[in-house]
């Protein structure tokens, strides 16, 4: 009597059948499920309800997979069963607990269809889709995601294959913090932008969004779904705009420098002219008093020569600032090098610099402006001397000239300093880029402009802890 009460009270449909598949008992829930009303299921074969055969209970399975079931009125539904067995004479009894899973499977099917449509829509929009199982660590990605990173279709992805394994080292902390904040419930969604490494080892900027879609009974995240969008071009555009803005600012500063140079050139011309005239007067008066020691006459001549040269340079700066002009002619670069070194002899001695010349004596002339070439060579030599100020060992400045096969002449100025500083290594010729405490960072920029205006080029041939080598080349003068 107690067994019958419990049997009837069980809310799940329960069938009791013998080994031949005939129902010997059924509770009210089973009668309702199969449409038999209050009774009448005894003696009914299980084969009338679902796909039962004499081999169904062979091996005593503990579960029957979901499959089609039919009720007495022809209605069909999807059911699954949990089985247990009782040994009673004259044979075995099977207890089947039936579960109607039609709505569950339909809901799952609708979810899968909606998810498939969602994936299709996102693929069409160009977004990559990822589905991350946090339990196994495996990540399923859409074809567009695989195409973005160049990952083969046949290879499965795990968590480490993408994040953090493919993130740029500078972006790992921020991206993983965004994941952690969402998984901990601090943020409703994961959003991050980072550089993702592709199969060819290059990086592209992507924007990631993701959300936890499933949690276990304890509330821990089990599954996360999200998208990845390629935003590399947007970042490149922003970098281009930033670079253009910097170039505009530099151009504006150069305009002001040009105006200042023109004004300074005008103001300096008068004292330089006076210096040249006074030195000439001193030399004439020395001639009047008779022969004197050449040690006095030679410095006065050099003062006059340097005043002339300084005046020429000032005029060139003024001309360059106003209209970029210059007077080109056949220039012997070897003589330019020797002349500049002669006038910088005091500075090389003061800094204990040994100058080594490796000049090609058969070097042809170049078509250039004499004063501007002196400006370029003196700037490179001055930079080489400055680069060796902190070198405790031997300080060697090596200057080489040679003719190249492409009808150009090359001059190389090498120092034995410590190499270019990190602050200027990326672009030593950028305006206002300098590490000198008293420098303005325009020397190399102006030198490059002068060389390029003459149809040549100026570059850094090498830079290491053993020193730096600057080179420039110019076309050979036409005969």
């Amino acid at each position: 009597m107690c067994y019958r009460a419990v049997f009837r009270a069980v809310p799940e449909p329960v069938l009791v059948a013998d080994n031949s598949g005939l129902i010997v008992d059924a509770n009210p829930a089973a009668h309702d499920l199969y449409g038999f009303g209050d009774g009448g299921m005894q003696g009914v074969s299980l084969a009338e309800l679902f796909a039962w055969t004499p081999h169904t209970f062979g091996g005593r399975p503990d579960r029957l997979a979901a499959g089609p079931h039919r009720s007495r009125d022809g209605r069909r539904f999807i059911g699954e069963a949990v089985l247990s067995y009782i040994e009673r004479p004259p044979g075995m009894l099977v207890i089947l607990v039936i579960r109607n899973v039609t709505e569950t499977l339909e809901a799952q099917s609708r979810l899968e269809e909606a998810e498939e449509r969602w994936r299709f829509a996102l693929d069409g929009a160009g977004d990559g889709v990822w589905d991350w199982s946090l339990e196994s660590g495996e990540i399923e990605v859409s074809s567009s995601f695989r195409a973005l990173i160049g990952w083969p279709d046949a290879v499965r992805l795990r968590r480490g294959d993408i994040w953090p394994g493919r993130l740029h080292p500078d972006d790992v902390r921020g991206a993983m913090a965004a994941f952690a904040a969402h998984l901990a419930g601090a943020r409703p969604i994961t959003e991050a932008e980072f550089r993702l490494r592709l199969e060819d080892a290059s990086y592209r900027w992507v924007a990631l969004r993701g959300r936890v879609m499933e949690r276990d009974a304890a509330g821990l995240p089990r599954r996360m779904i999200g998208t990845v969008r390629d935003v590399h071009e947007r970042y490149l555009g922003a970098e281009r705009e930033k670079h253009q803005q910097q170039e505009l600012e530099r151009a504006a500063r150069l305009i002001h420098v040009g105006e200042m140079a023109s004004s300074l050139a005008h103001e300096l011309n008068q004292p330089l002219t006076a210096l040249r005239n006074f030195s000439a007067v001193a030399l004439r008066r020395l001639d009047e008093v008779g022969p004197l020691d050449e040690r006095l006459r030679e410095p006065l001549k050099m003062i006059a020569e340097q005043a002339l040269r300084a005046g020429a340079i000032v005029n060139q700066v003024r001309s360059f600032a106003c209209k970029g002009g210059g007077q080109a002619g056949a220039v012997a670069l070897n003589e330019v090098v020797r002349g500049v070194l002669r006038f910088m002899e005091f500075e090389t001695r003061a800094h204990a610099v040994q100058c080594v010349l490796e000049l090609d004596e058969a070097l042809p002339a170049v078509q250039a402006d004499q004063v501007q070439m002196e400006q370029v060579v003196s700037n490179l030599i001055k930079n080489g001397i400055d680069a060796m100020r902190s070198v405790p060992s031997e300080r060697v400045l090596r200057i080489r000239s040679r003719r190249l096969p492409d009808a150009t002449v090359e001059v190389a100025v090498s120092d034995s300093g410590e190499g270019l500083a990190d602050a200027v290594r990326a672009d030593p010729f950028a305006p206002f880029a300098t590490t000198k405490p008293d420098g303005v960072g325009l020397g190399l920029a102006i030198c490059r402009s002068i060389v390029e205006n003459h149809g040549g080029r100026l570059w850094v041939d090498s830079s290491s802890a053993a020193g730096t080598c600057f080179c420039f080349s110019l076309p050979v003068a036409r005969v």
Side-chain angles (χ1 to χ4, degrees):
M1 184 65 67
C2 180
Y3 157 76
R4 296 299 302 175
V6 173
F7 182 69
R8 293 178 63 85
V10 172
E12 287 82 10
V14 181
L15 301 175
V16 181
D18 59 22
N19 197 35
S20 64
L22 295 178
I23 296 174
V24 298
D25 203 353
N27 70 347
H31 284 86
D32 292 340
L33 178 63
Y34 290 100
F36 280 83
D38 294 335
M41 292 196 74
Q42 290 185 1
V44 174
S45 173
L46 293 177
E48 296 182 24
L49 306 180
F50 56 88
W52 179 90
T53 69
H55 305 290
T56 299
F57 300 145
R60 296 193 175 188
D62 58 1
R63 182 178 296 275
L64 296 181
H69 286 232
R70 49 190 175 274
S71 63
R72 189 176 189 181
D73 58 3
R75 180 176 52 87
R76 294 181 178 272
F77 61 91
I78 304 299
E80 60 183 17
V82 177
L83 280 59
S84 58
Y85 303 88
I86 300 176
E87 294 290 347
R88 290 185 60 183
M92 177 186 68
L93 293 179
V94 182
I95 300 175
L96 302 91
V97 179
I98 309 297
R99 179 168 173 251
N100 186 350
V101 295
T102 304
E103 293 183 359
T104 301
L105 293 180
E106 288 178 350
Q108 182 177 344
S109 177
R110 288 193 299 270
L111 179 62
E112 290 175 353
E113 289 178 1
E115 188 173 302
E116 185 63 28
R117 288 194 297 269
W118 173 69
R119 289 173 180 265
F120 178 78
L122 288 175
D123 275 342
D127 286 0
V129 182
W130 51 271
D131 190 336
W132 177 17
S133 171
L134 286 94
E135 292 179 326
S136 67
E138 290 189 351
I139 298 178
E140 294 184 7
V141 298
S142 65
S143 57
S144 58
F145 197 162
R146 286 182 178 271
L148 172 64
I149 61 178
W151 193 271
D153 291 339
V155 181
R156 296 186 69 85
L157 291 165
R158 297 184 65 82
R159 176 179 59 183
D161 293 331
I162 302 181
W163 41 78
R166 285 181 176 266
L167 302 188
H168 191 282
D170 295 341
D171 303 333
V172 170
R173 178 176 296 180
M176 300 314 293
F179 275 109
H182 174 60
L183 293 174
R187 293 183 183 176
I189 194 170
T190 297
E191 290 184 297
E193 292 190 358
F194 49 80
R195 284 160 288 184
L196 193 65
R197 179 170 51 81
L198 312 185
E199 280 296 286
D200 62 2
S202 65
Y203 284 90
R204 289 190 74 83
W205 279 99
V206 298
L208 176 140
R209 301 180 79 247
R211 185 175 183 179
V212 173
M213 302 301 292
E214 291 183 14
R215 295 183 180 271
D216 60 17
L220 298 176
R222 294 178 53 189
R223 182 186 181 197
M224 195 171 181
I225 296 177
T227 63
V228 167
R229 173 170 294 184
D230 187 343
V231 294
H232 194 67
E233 291 303 320
R234 172 162 62 82
Y235 269 86
L236 290 182
E239 286 297 319
R240 284 193 294 267
E241 290 180 3
K242 181 180 178 181
H243 180 71
Q244 289 173 354
Q245 182 63 31
Q246 290 175 344
E247 289 300 316
L248 288 174
E249 292 175 357
R250 287 176 178 175
R253 292 165 72 181
L254 283 173
I255 290 172
H256 291 306
V257 169
E259 294 173 350
M260 182 178 63
S262 179
S263 177
L264 285 174
H266 177 74
E267 295 297 328
L268 288 173
N269 263 330
Q270 291 181 350
L272 285 173
T273 301
L275 177 62
R276 185 171 65 251
N277 293 336
F278 290 150
S279 62
V281 169
L283 286 171
R284 283 197 299 271
R285 289 183 178 179
L286 285 174
D287 291 335
E288 293 174 358
V289 299
L292 291 176
D293 194 335
E294 285 298 321
R295 289 180 299 178
L296 179 60
R297 189 181 300 275
E298 186 63 26
L300 285 173
K301 288 182 179 180
M302 293 185 67
I303 290 173
E305 290 175 0
Q306 285 300 298
L308 284 171
R309 180 171 175 268
I313 291 175
V314 167
N315 287 330
Q316 287 289 344
V317 171
R318 185 178 182 184
S319 177
F320 183 78
C322 294
K323 56 181 182 298
Q327 295 182 354
V331 175
L333 288 180
N334 285 348
E335 296 306 315
V336 170
V337 171
R338 292 189 178 100
V340 170
L341 282 177
R342 185 168 65 252
F343 293 128
M344 297 184 70
E345 183 178 358
F346 176 79
E347 189 163 3
T348 56
R349 286 182 179 178
H351 293 90
V353 173
Q354 177 186 356
C355 296
V356 178
L357 299 183
E358 299 175 357
L359 306 179
D360 181 1
E361 296 303 332
L363 197 71
V366 296
Q367 191 73 16
D369 180 86
Q370 176 83 21
V371 175
Q372 289 186 358
M373 289 304 102
E374 292 175 352
Q375 186 177 352
V376 170
V377 172
S378 63
N379 189 278
L380 294 181
I381 292 175
K382 179 67 166 60
N383 285 349
I385 294 172
D386 291 343
M388 296 184 288
R389 283 186 176 181
S390 59
V391 176
S393 57
E394 187 178 23
R395 301 171 182 176
V396 178
L397 186 71
R398 193 178 304 274
I399 305 174
R400 183 188 73 245
S401 69
R402 60 174 178 165
R403 181 170 184 170
L404 299 179
D406 61 350
T408 61
V409 170
E410 178 189 270
V411 175
V413 180
S414 305
D415 62 62
S416 56
E418 299 176 346
L420 294 174
D422 293 338
V424 298
R425 185 178 295 273
D427 186 4
F429 305 101
F432 309 105
T434 182
T435 57
K436 299 179 183 179
D438 56 346
V440 295
L442 286 174
L444 286 175
I446 293 175
C447 287
R448 184 170 64 174
S449 296
I450 290 174
V451 172
E452 290 178 351
N453 287 339
H454 285 82
R457 67 187 187 99
L458 172 63
W459 71 96
V460 179
D461 187 65
S462 63
S463 181
S464 66
T468 302
C469 177
F470 281 90
C471 299
F472 71 91
S473 64
L474 293 168
V476 173
R478 295 179 180 178
V479 180

